[in-house]
Amino acid sequence: MANKFRSVETRYHEQRDSLFDGLSRLSRRGFMKMAGISAGIAASKGLITPHGFQLVDVAFAEPARPKFTFAYISDTHLYERKLNDRFVRAILKAVDDVNGLDPQPDFVLFGGDLAQLGKPAELKLGAEILKSVKAPVRMMVGEHDWFLDMGERWKELFGAPSYSFDHKGVHFVTLMSVQEKDFWTARGMTPEERMQTVAGLDNATQSRFEVGPEGRQWLKNDLAKIDKKTPLIVFSHSPLYKYYRDWNFWTEDADEVQAILAPFDRVTVIHGHTHQLLTHRIGNIHFHGMLSTAWPWPYAPEGLPKLTVQMNRADPFDQFDGCGDGRVDVTADGLANKLYNLWDRHPVTVKGSYLASNGSADRPPAAKLPTY
Amino acid sequence: MKLPNPSFVVLAASFVALAARGEPLPKHELPRSKNGNLVVGMCDGKTSVEVAGVRADQALSPEQGKTVANQLMREWLDRNPSVGTDWKKEELLAQAKAPPAADSRATSQESASSGAKGITTPRPDVQAAQTYGAFASRDEAIWKASTDAFVNEGNRIFHDAKALGGTVAISCDMCHPNAANTHPETYPKYQVQLGRVALLRDMINWCIENPVRGKPLDDGDPKLKAMEAYITAQRKGVPLEHGKH
């Protein structure tokens, strides 16, 4: 979105995407009007030849019209600027992206792991940068923000890690899902050692993520007053399902949490932590991962959800490849279309209809370069 | 060319056969010294010598050991006069060309007429007696521990920005948990971004220079070797496929 240099192909696809985006936002009347102006005869049949793209019949595309949109930035893993400016550049790029969205999203979700090692200076830097986001920011906590001081500083800056709100008929819940059972006391670890251990994926020292009994009780209480027909969108840093235990792509009490969400007709979980395009469905619950601005992670050697269409593996020579930010379009029927704005690549949209049809409709394009 | 003494072959064959059946190997019973002196036996299983003035529980000095060895050799040569002074050469020939076991019967018949007699030293089959291969589980445990220690050292460096010489607190595992997506089995290959054929170590050094912002390691650097060991160990069982993209 905010790249200075864009190839012909990129510009072509951006035009194309914005056109389709615009089309899907139009009412039928609005569409007919626009179609009439641009291509009279074609429009009389509900067909249009925009910019020389292939004919698109949008007359039947109306159910996908978004009711509202929010954007996300996630997993920025900031060090202090004087130590490492690489990740600072990346979050600034993401902020430019979301500020460049037109129309502006209703709000911007920050998906957790603002800091790399939970240090006050790192959190402060992140908070300052996020102040320049034009839309309201909804904060979520990640394990990298938490385990130095067990969330003290983060809570001072951003408030309670679990909260809920209602927006345009959808009930939103932000859930603190990166609790870990105490592995540090018995080992006599300092807070820094504890943080460093949690910051690594491939160690067996730390415990697995969990919402925990208190968190689950809080969630139950929060949802008790919500009608089961109300669309539910849950923000969680950990995936809220069991993907790959060894890397903590995992929530230990995922089954219990899912049981609390299961009675609702439409549930979408948007999670961070995994730094990759990730799609899953369990019952009525749709799961979407978020991209990191800092670095992409390889797909785990096992446990990849069947519905996930992998993104191309990242080019290590391009800092931004495989990274990015994104947007979620919530449709009138409460489904979420999840846009992965992969920097330096075509964006990928995983539609709610793809998940609702269990993968038979609207399948995202397959990766050309899958994981080794 | 002088052929190896055929009686060697017969003895070797029977030796191997005994071992294969799991029966105890012949043991050299040394005569006891009446005076409680040390008795030293020779590897032929027959010759022995009593060392006057040294008790059975005492050690020999190097000089005494040399004297004893010379004495044993003299006795052995006295009992095997046909070997003559050429026995060293014969032994060298025998080592250079180990006859196949299948030929042993035919050659043993020849030996009766060739007049080569008296060499009774059991000489095990060259293959079986080879040092390399004659290892116990203890040896294997030592090798495994050594290899694991090497791999673990690589694991440590891989996870430690300072050990890598990085200046921006980035370590390899941040992008490559368990060395995932390092695909060592695909090297050497043409690395498109570098415009040349690269080895795994070139890519390790590329990462050290770029995202890690450290100095590339020398080819012989133990850190580089250890990291190669760790990365390769993570891909055990994956088929080698150099050049794969």
Side-chain angles (χ1 to χ4, degrees), chain A residues 77 79 83-87 89 116 196 199-203 244 246-247 249 275 295-299 301 313-318 369 371-372, chain B residues 155 158-159 167-171 173-183 185-186 189 191 193-194 203 206-207 210-211 213 230 235 244-245:
Chain A
H77 293 269
Y79 284 113
L83 173 62
N84 184 329
D85 61 346
R86 178 185 175 104
F87 303 145
R89 283 201 303 275
Q116 168 65 2
Q196 192 68 52
L201 278 195
D202 55 352
N203 66 71
Y244 188 58
D246 287 5
W247 292 353
F249 286 5
H275 300 202
W295 67 82
W297 258 325
Y299 286 102
R313 60 176 187 254
D315 173 3
F317 290 69
D318 177 349
L369 295 169
T371 303
Y372 283 106
Chain B
N155 186 5
F158 197 84
H159 288 75
T167 54
V168 288
I170 291 180
S171 53
D173 63 297
M174 283 167 68
C175 292
H176 302 282
N178 294 122
N181 217 6
T182 52
H183 40 82
E185 75 279 4
T186 67
K189 73 171 162 197
Q191 192 70 41
Q193 304 96 327
L194 294 175
M203 294 309 295
W206 184 87
C207 278
N210 290 279
R213 302 230 191 125
Y230 168 71
R235 295 293 272 180
K244 185 184 174 185
H245 282 275

Side-chain angles (χ1 to χ4, degrees), chain A residues 22-223:
Chain A
L23 285 180
S24 62
R25 282 161 196 270
L26 282 176
S27 66
R28 190 178 178 82
R29 177 184 290 262
F31 162 70
M32 292 305 282
K33 197 172 151 195
M34 177 185 158
I37 294 162
S38 58
I41 296 168
S44 68
K45 292 188 280 183
L47 299 171
I48 183 166
T49 52
H51 299 209
F53 296 134
Q54 66 178 84
L55 290 172
V56 180
D57 186 346
V58 291
F60 303 104
E62 282 200 70
R65 197 177 56 199
K67 194 175 169 190
F68 67 92
T69 284
F70 64 93
Y72 76 80
I73 300 172
S74 193
D75 294 82
T76 53
H77 293 269
L78 294 174
Y79 284 113
E80 278 186 77
R81 195 192 296 262
K82 63 175 188 273
L83 173 62
N84 184 329
D85 61 346
R86 178 185 175 104
F87 303 145
V88 179
R89 283 201 303 275
I91 186 178
L92 290 172
K93 186 172 163 73
V95 169
D96 279 355
D97 276 0
V98 298
N99 282 344
L101 288 174
D102 184 19
Q104 273 287 286
D106 287 10
F107 61 90
V108 175
L109 164 69
F110 186 84
D113 286 353
L114 181 62
Q116 168 65 2
L117 296 174
K119 292 184 180 172
E122 295 169 355
L123 290 167
K124 185 165 165 259
L125 171 64
E128 279 168 5
I129 291 172
L130 289 176
K131 275 182 192 163
S132 56
V133 174
K134 288 194 274 184
V137 176
R138 300 282 185 178
M139 288 301 292
M140 177 155 70
V141 77
E143 78 278 10
H144 285 255
D145 306 319
W146 192 264
F147 281 91
L148 182 65
D149 58 6
M150 304 311 284
E152 282 297 311
R153 185 78 185 124
W154 193 92
K155 283 186 281 188
E156 271 173 42
L157 285 165
F158 307 113
S162 288
Y163 58 92
S164 67
F165 57 98
D166 294 289
H167 185 77
K168 296 186 180 172
V170 176
H171 186 66
F172 283 88
V173 176
T174 305
L175 196 58
M176 162 50 171
S177 61
V178 290
Q179 305 280 5
E180 287 195 19
K181 290 203 164 60
D182 184 347
F183 63 87
W184 49 89
T185 307
R187 291 176 167 87
M189 286 183 168
T190 64
E192 286 77 18
E193 286 166 340
R194 173 178 61 204
M195 181 67 252
Q196 192 68 52
T197 304
V198 174
L201 278 195
D202 55 352
N203 66 71
T205 311
Q206 62 177 308
S207 309
R208 301 301 105 181
F209 293 144
E210 59 177 30
V211 175
E214 280 176 39
R216 295 200 302 272
Q217 191 54 50
W218 176 88
L219 181 64
K220 266 185 213 167
N221 295 345
D222 182 76
L223 295 180

